[in-house]
Amino acid sequence: MNQGNQDKRKQRDYDDEDSEEEEIEQPISVHNKGDMEEEINLDFVFLDPNQKQFHSIKTFINGYLEGISFKSSELANIICDQVELGTMVGQEDEDNVFGFTTILNIGEIKSNAIGEILHYVDTKSKQFNKQHQQLQHIFQTPKKVGLFINERILNLAPQLVPILHNQLKEDINWLQKEDPSNSLTNLDYLLVITKCFKDNDQQKQTQKKSTSDLNDLIFQKFEDYVFLQKSVVSFRFLSEGSKQTQQVSDFMKTEQEGQICYRLIYLIQLKDYLEQIVNIEKYVQQ
């Protein structure tokens, strides 16, 4: 399996040796300031999935469904085993990862974990989604829907985020060339499960509104703001325990206190996701 990982990335680099891909194969130095104002220099590399990352991936997805118990170990194994599509950001010769992106075909993978996730989405959609019928209609052809899992540590340097998404785009392009019959090359939609927040004061002001302004929300992953503007279905609901005061450190608003936490679920067309990656880059450069 590890040899397969190496072969995929090496082959991709060989095919595109004159592209910008070479630049990000080298470690990237990012400077962050810690609590003591001490500058820390970390080198990041982008890696293909492998089983050595299992425990790190499992830690990221344990809270994927609001802390609801589900077969997270099974899902972590699926993510680690899917060599052909998925990108991890970590450090050279280290098994732990700081973030990852991947897409799983929900109609092709026979897994209890995927079934539990889809049951969760369906249950919440029936309760909170005014577009539930549209969601059901799309799910009637599950092989056309990919579960997009995008997780990372909260304080990962923002400039690494567009690279993670671009690497996933490169995986898709590589796969379409190398294995066009692969079901991952024939997806129409991506299903996203994520978090967003709203200030307590804004929550009170907008309670009576039938629709909410995206600018009222604070996103744990800032790219959700970009993707949501192209979503075909979206809904949110209060997260379990969200009545308690919560705090989030975010690229859009670096320090916010007393926020209400929501779970956010949306569908975006794959082509729109790929087109919006360039806007993530622009967002970081602002």
Side-chain angles (χ1 to χ4, degrees):
M1 184 63 69
N2 289 343
Q3 183 63 39
N5 284 341
Q6 295 171 0
D7 287 348
K8 182 193 84 169
R9 196 163 291 275
K10 285 180 180 177
Q11 181 64 47
R12 198 173 77 192
D13 294 342
Y14 176 80
D15 291 341
D16 302 323
E17 60 182 5
D18 293 329
S19 72
E20 294 182 359
E21 184 69 18
E22 286 188 350
E23 296 179 10
I24 57 178
E25 284 302 304
Q26 299 299 319
I28 296 175
S29 296
V30 178
H31 300 275
N32 291 322
K33 288 189 175 180
D35 294 336
M36 302 299 294
E37 296 298 319
E38 179 183 356
E39 191 172 69
I40 300 173
N41 187 355
L42 296 176
D43 293 330
F44 294 97
V45 292
F46 294 87
L47 309 163
D48 290 323
N50 67 70
Q51 276 295 331
K52 291 181 179 179
Q53 303 156 348
F54 170 83
H55 293 291
S56 189
I57 297 302
K58 187 175 185 296
T59 298
F60 275 112
I61 62 175
N62 272 337
Y64 190 58
L65 302 183
E66 294 188 276
I68 295 173
S69 179
F70 78 109
K71 292 180 173 57
S72 57
S73 292
E74 185 177 300
L75 183 62
N77 271 318
I78 292 170
I79 293 169
C80 291
D81 285 341
Q82 185 175 274
V83 178
E84 59 268 41
L85 198 156
T87 296
M88 314 286 163
V89 58
Q91 291 183 276
E92 196 73 56
D93 300 322
E94 295 288 338
D95 296 337
N96 290 331
V97 299
F98 299 104
F100 70 94
T101 58
T102 192
I103 299 171
L104 307 176
N105 189 317
I106 66 171
E108 286 288 330
I109 298 174
K110 307 303 179 185
S111 157
N112 289 325
I114 297 294
E116 290 169 332
I117 291 170
L118 295 180
H119 176 72
Y120 171 85
V121 171
D122 182 64
T123 300
K124 296 299 184 182
S125 179
K126 287 176 181 176
Q127 291 179 272
F128 303 106
N129 182 16
K130 294 180 180 180
Q131 300 169 290
H132 179 63
Q133 289 186 340
Q134 185 178 354
L135 184 74
Q136 283 187 314
H137 177 72
I138 292 172
F139 277 13
Q140 285 176 358
T141 52
K143 292 183 180 180
K144 294 288 188 177
V145 182
L147 178 63
F148 177 57
I149 305 179
N150 175 33
E151 299 293 332
R152 61 179 180 267
I153 59 174
L154 194 61
N155 60 346
L156 186 72
Q159 57 265 44
L160 297 179
V161 175
I163 304 176
L164 264 173
H165 291 285
N166 270 312
Q167 286 286 280
L168 197 63
K169 181 178 180 179
E170 289 298 322
D171 278 359
I172 293 171
N173 292 337
W174 179 87
L175 194 58
Q176 287 173 340
K177 186 192 324 185
E178 297 295 319
D179 187 11
S181 63
N182 191 301
S183 64
L184 289 167
T185 67
N186 198 31
L187 297 172
D188 288 334
Y189 297 93
L190 298 182
L191 171 65
V192 184
I193 303 173
T194 185
K195 288 181 183 178
C196 64
F197 299 79
K198 180 179 281 192
D199 288 338
N200 272 322
D201 291 342
Q202 286 190 342
Q203 168 69 11
K204 293 175 183 178
Q205 293 170 9
T206 60
Q207 275 178 343
K208 296 181 180 180
K209 291 183 180 180
S210 58
T211 60
S212 63
D213 187 348
L214 286 181
N215 293 320
D216 290 341
L217 301 176
I218 302 165
F219 295 92
Q220 188 175 60
K221 293 181 280 286
F222 65 88
E223 63 267 37
D224 285 323
Y225 174 81
V226 177
F227 297 146
L228 262 176
Q229 296 177 64
K230 293 292 184 178
S231 65
V232 294
V233 175
S234 67
F235 63 99
R236 73 174 193 266
F237 48 92
L238 283 173
S239 178
E240 295 295 327
S242 64
K243 293 181 181 179
Q244 297 178 357
T245 299
Q246 302 197 29
Q247 182 173 339
V248 62
S249 177
D250 180 79
F251 177 56
M252 295 177 67
K253 296 185 178 181
T254 56
E255 199 171 326
Q256 293 290 330
E257 295 182 355
Q259 295 166 336
I260 302 296
C261 179
Y262 291 90
R263 289 287 167 158
L264 174 65
I265 297 176
Y266 63 93
L267 276 171
I268 183 172
Q269 288 189 295
L270 176 61
K271 65 179 183 64
D272 288 333
Y273 162 73
L274 297 175
E275 290 174 359
Q276 288 297 97
I277 291 174
V278 67
N279 289 326
I280 299 175
E281 296 171 339
K282 293 176 181 177
Y283 200 92
V284 172
Q285 293 167 1
Q286 288 178 355

